[in-house]
Amino acid sequence: MRQVRSIWNGAISFGLVSIPIKLVNATESHSISFRQIHTEDGGRIRYRKVCELEDREVTQAEIGKAYEDADGTMIPITDDDLAQLPIPTARTIEIVAFVPADRIDPLQMDAAYYLSANGVPAAKPYTLLREALKRSQKVAIAKYALRGRERLGMLRVVDDVIAMHGLLWPDEIRVPEGVAPDTSVTVRDKELDLADALMDTLGEVDLADLHDDYREAVEEMITAKASGEQPAESPTPAPSGKVLDLMAALEKSVREAKESRGEDTGGDAGAETGKKAEVRPISSRSARATPKQTTGKKSTSSATKKTASSKKPTASTSTSAKKSTGATKKTTTTAKKTPAKTTAKSAAKTPTKKATPRKRTA
């Protein structure tokens, strides 16, 4: 195993048990760093540490630290001053409690470290604490001092190693005021169902399979420029910020996620229409007009059907009249005209009956 340089030596205080340990970084950054240059000639831009009183550059060995008072006075602080502070966590990780892991808010998580047993005598108490944490399924809350300040930490087991996460103090977590949407929004059950379906379709992921696409793209671009080639152009991102039909977007997302996994999408929501859901802008005017227009069409078609059905019996009646009489075309013509006259007479009688009460009332 590659030896990792320790950044802090001390001990874990576990009641009366003391475990000598070394603190090593558990994470490392793979981000690509850039240098500042003079754009005209490519020369490096460097920062020099200059003493304001002497107006000269000083070396790192000549640099110390100080606290600036409210009036601008500098109060020198040495490493010995900090080492002699009367706090038990100066060189000790002091465990103060054991709590369930879900009691720790992820917002408090800070840097991560591995705690390595420092020497053979530390192996037994180190293993004891590790196994006790495993069996209790709890994490240890501790206080420690590092880089000039006291910090809060959480100890947990990772494989066969005790890891420590630096924690922010509770008063360092900002209250999320003014962050949530300030408008009242109602989420329908169908929208939640589609969101659940999308979550289930996407499923889980092995975090080890994830990688930094941006860093890889930067590396490829640097390699291309170093060899004198033109870097590949990235595709133009789709415009964002548009108001979308949420239901259509969810349906399309579920369908595409299932298609990418080779699953059948025949029974998806929105499939009963026989058309694929499309992401489209929401139009409140068209949304309101659509039901009215549909209702109007239905009433018109139903009225047409009723008119047609009312005409059919008349035609069948005249046809039966033709068959029963067995007359010639003239008789048929007379038979056709007869209902018209009858209808005209009945129509003439009806207004007369309705008009009579009006005269009496007057």
Side-chain angles (χ1 to χ4, degrees), residues 95-114:
I95 295 176
V96 297
F98 292 88
V99 300
D102 58 8
R103 287 271 303 277
I104 306 302
D105 190 335
L107 283 173
Q108 287 187 259
M109 296 288 189
D110 202 0
Y113 308 95
Y114 288 137

Side-chain angles (χ1 to χ4, degrees), residues 325-341:
T325 55
T328 57
K329 289 183 180 180
K330 289 183 180 180
T331 309
T332 306
T333 306
T334 307
K336 286 183 179 179
K337 291 179 180 179
T338 303
K341 290 179 181 179

